[in-house]
Amino acid sequence: MPDNLKQKAISGARWGFIENLSSLAVTFVVALILQRWFLSPHEFGLIGHLAIFIAISISFIDNGFSAALIKKPEPSREDLSTTFLTNFFISLVCFGILQLAAPYVASYFGEPQLEDLLRILSFVLIINAVSIIQRVLLVKAVDFRSLTICSVTASVISGVVGIWLAFGGYGVWSLVGQQLSRQLVNTIMLWIVGTWRPSLKFSGKSFRELFSYGSNVLVTGLLDTIFKNIYFPVIGKGFGTETLGQYTSSEKYSNVTSNNLSQVVQRVSFPVLSKVQDDDVRLKRVFSTILKVVMAVSVLVSFCLSALSYPFIVGLVGQTWAPAAHILSIICLAGAFYPAHYLYQNILQVKGKMRQYLVLDILKKVLMAISIVIGIVLKDLDILLWGMVAASILTLVIYALYSGRAIGYGPLEQLKDLFPMFIICVIISLIVGIAAIVFKYICFRNNWDDMTWTNLSSVAAGLLIGAILILVFWKFLPKKETREIRNLLSVWKKSE
């Protein structure tokens, strides 16, 4: 990967990492305060019931035009204004639909409070719609520094708002206030940072051109959003609001790693891969490098979080949330492969294989649907969650076969590149989990049985052992691999 392109990729990844780390810190603090002292699983479950409706609406509002704008070398002012007006109009339509649907949603889940919650929370759709173009232009310019500043500022301010409302006794409304304030602050910041201003000119030609590419992305995006959030209504309806609250808590912590890393991979890799899309040899080399780093980081972090889930959750927010720890230990295993899913999808988009992109994405959803149906029929939450893991692994294998074929990167070559790091990550995570258990046992044997600090200390002990193991395994990596990682780190340090 040439230095200039590599610097952009690494700079974007670095700022994405900073954003993730900052979001992680904010999430921990806000979760600790809200879950430990103010809110119950039931209140988190109420917001969980609404997640799919908000997520589908936001996905529909974006309507695939963002990907079309990023892919287009030089989008015109008409392209940008047409997209802005389209997004805003659709946001108003979705907002109106949710206002009308609110009573029926509340009735379906048997929670009357959902009617008012959904009507207020749906304002986030309009706020989000007016910021999409500003976000797209920053992504296209690979200006992830500005995106990070906006996102982190919004996370901090919204966290303060949520805590303040909870302290004032507003209960579940503190979560609504947190979401609304985060989107509002982020939108305001994006408009301050961004230089583009709408001309309010709609072009039918631009709409048709962008929609011809974005329509496939729209369909796959909607399907992806539906199935990514389908567990909320399924668990809420099948296992109750309390269980859904436990799931939303675990899913939130899992997303800190899998979802945030997926977002970094998607927004950094797509523009970078697009720049070398006409050079197959170079494209394969760039993709291979990104894939190895992404899989190593994602699998290691997710598997370690799975191994440490119980002491992590119980130590952080208390015994009330212990069921969330069990759920987290399973869904982390599925989330470990999500970033690679998005990376494989990006290759298909870059190579213009949108029909194949759509077919594979539908197949992915079919696998998820089968696992969900089995869990519902058997009325077993564990089976439902392990089905999620199985679907994620099968999806990875299918994407590796077909996406790799698009750039001449066969499955055996991929396996040769990825298998050694995968085994190392599994070994480290197992030892990390065992170390935490042993440390906790020693604490109890010595009558240090403080629930919070014993669990958190065992997490710290496990992570310390993990860090040592990473340094040890580093010595045994092939020289080619260590040289490649060192090159990436050197560019990371030099990139502006």
Side-chain angles (χ1 to χ4, degrees):
M1 197 189 303
D3 286 344
N4 187 42
L5 184 58
K6 185 184 289 186
Q7 284 182 356
K8 287 186 177 181
I10 298 301
S11 179
R14 182 176 64 177
W15 281 105
F17 174 77
I18 293 172
E19 179 183 351
N20 288 345
L21 190 62
S22 301
S23 297
L24 175 66
V26 173
T27 297
F28 280 177
V29 173
V30 175
L32 172 63
I33 296 173
L34 294 182
Q35 293 179 248
R36 195 178 186 100
W37 288 294
F38 294 108
L39 303 182
S40 68
H42 184 268
E43 288 165 309
F44 279 89
L46 288 173
I47 297 300
H49 283 306
L50 307 179
I52 191 169
F53 303 103
I54 300 299
I56 289 175
S57 298
I58 289 178
S59 180
F60 191 70
I61 291 166
D62 190 14
N63 57 62
F65 279 28
S66 294
L69 290 174
I70 293 174
K71 182 173 175 59
K72 194 171 184 178
E74 295 293 337
S76 64
R77 289 189 58 83
E78 288 76 13
D79 292 332
L80 298 175
S81 292
T82 298
T83 300
F84 175 82
L85 293 173
T86 302
N87 292 340
F88 186 70
F89 174 75
I90 296 177
S91 73
L92 294 177
V93 173
C94 290
F95 175 81
I97 292 174
L98 291 185
Q99 296 298 309
L100 296 174
Y104 303 100
V105 171
S107 175
Y108 177 77
F109 290 111
E111 297 283 358
Q113 198 173 0
L114 292 179
E115 180 177 347
D116 291 335
L117 290 172
L118 181 56
R119 283 179 168 164
I120 299 302
L121 190 59
S122 58
F123 278 99
V124 77
L125 304 180
I126 300 174
I127 300 172
N128 175 74
V130 300
S131 67
I132 292 176
I133 293 297
Q134 302 290 6
R135 191 180 303 114
V136 166
L137 291 177
L138 290 175
V139 170
K140 193 170 180 63
V142 201
D143 185 5
F144 298 108
R145 177 179 180 275
S146 296
L147 285 171
T148 298
I149 292 173
C150 295
S151 177
V152 172
T153 301
S155 295
V156 172
I157 294 177
S158 65
V160 172
V161 170
I163 294 171
W164 177 71
L165 290 173
F167 185 78
Y170 288 93
V172 67
W173 288 101
S174 62
L175 298 175
V176 175
Q178 183 183 2
Q179 291 193 36
L180 286 172
S181 60
R182 176 169 183 165
Q183 191 62 63
L184 180 61
V185 173
N186 192 49
T187 296
I188 292 173
M189 292 286 293
L190 287 170
W191 276 87
I192 292 174
V193 171
T195 58
W196 176 83
R197 296 296 179 265
S199 63
L200 302 181
K201 180 180 180 181
F202 184 87
S203 169
K205 179 182 178 182
S206 291
F207 180 87
R208 289 188 296 272
E209 181 182 343
L210 294 171
F211 186 75
S212 64
Y213 176 87
S215 57
N216 285 323
V217 179
L218 168 62
V219 173
T220 55
L222 282 173
L223 287 173
D224 190 55
T225 299
I226 291 171
F227 278 86
K228 186 184 295 183
N229 293 275
I230 194 66
Y231 292 96
F232 293 114
V234 167
I235 293 174
K237 184 66 175 178
F239 302 95
T241 302
E242 187 87 10
T243 301
L244 177 59
Q246 299 283 359
Y247 174 79
T248 58
S249 175
S250 61
E251 201 254 357
K252 175 179 60 181
Y253 291 117
S254 176
N255 281 347
V256 168
T257 55
S258 65
N259 193 49
N260 284 343
L261 181 57
S262 295
Q263 292 177 7
V264 171
V265 170
Q266 191 172 32
R267 69 187 187 183
V268 172
S269 66
F270 187 68
V272 169
L273 293 172
S274 294
K275 292 179 184 297
V276 294
Q277 59 184 302
D278 297 323
D279 187 340
D280 288 341
V281 174
R282 188 180 173 201
L283 179 61
K284 175 185 174 181
R285 187 168 63 249
V286 172
F287 176 79
S288 173
T289 300
I290 297 175
L291 179 63
K292 284 186 284 188
V293 174
V294 166
M295 281 292 287
V297 173
S298 180
V299 170
L300 179 61
V301 174
S302 296
F303 278 40
C304 283
L305 182 56
S306 176
L308 298 172
S309 60
Y310 183 84
F312 172 74
I313 291 291
V314 174
L316 187 66
V317 293
Q319 189 66 39
T320 303
W321 296 89
H326 174 69
I327 296 173
L328 179 63
S329 68
I330 300 175
I331 65 176
C332 273
L333 303 180
F337 307 107
Y338 291 160
H341 292 179
Y342 286 105
L343 186 58
Y344 281 121
Q345 285 181 323
N346 281 348
I347 274 293
L348 292 175
Q349 289 189 66
V350 166
K351 297 300 292 183
K353 296 184 179 296
M354 300 310 298
R355 185 178 298 276
Q356 193 176 68
Y357 176 102
L358 179 59
V359 170
L360 291 180
D361 200 67
I362 292 174
L363 180 57
K364 171 184 176 181
K365 305 309 185 287
V366 170
L367 293 174
M368 292 179 64
I370 292 173
S371 68
I372 291 171
V373 169
I374 293 174
I376 294 174
V377 170
L378 297 178
K379 297 181 179 180
D380 190 311
L381 182 60
D382 278 0
I383 292 177
L384 182 72
L385 299 176
W386 280 109
M388 183 192 303
V389 178
S392 178
I393 294 173
L394 286 174
T395 298
L396 180 73
V397 173
I398 294 170
Y399 273 132
L401 289 172
Y402 288 92
S403 300
R405 184 182 299 172
I407 57 173
Y409 191 29
L412 292 179
E413 189 176 358
Q414 293 180 57
L415 183 63
K416 180 181 177 182
D417 287 342
L418 298 176
F419 189 72
M421 285 190 177
F422 178 80
I423 293 299
I424 289 174
C425 292
V426 171
I427 292 173
I428 291 176
S429 61
L430 287 174
I431 296 176
V432 164
I434 293 172
I437 293 173
V438 171
F439 183 85
K440 188 175 180 180
Y441 175 76
I442 294 173
C443 290
F444 281 119
R445 288 282 295 178
N446 288 276
N447 297 319
W448 186 37
D449 56 357
D450 180 271
M451 183 64 69
T452 298
W453 294 110
T454 298
N455 282 291
L456 292 181
S457 297
S458 66
V459 171
L463 293 178
L464 177 61
I465 296 297
I468 294 173
L469 288 174
I470 291 173
L471 294 177
V472 171
F473 277 112
W474 173 268
K475 298 296 184 181
F476 293 96
L477 284 176
K479 292 183 178 180
K480 178 183 177 182
E481 300 293 339
T482 57
R483 184 166 57 249
E484 186 174 70
I485 295 174
R486 284 185 182 127
N487 287 338
L488 288 171
L489 291 174
S490 68
V491 177
W492 179 290
K493 294 176 182 178
K494 295 176 183 177
S495 60
E496 298 296 331

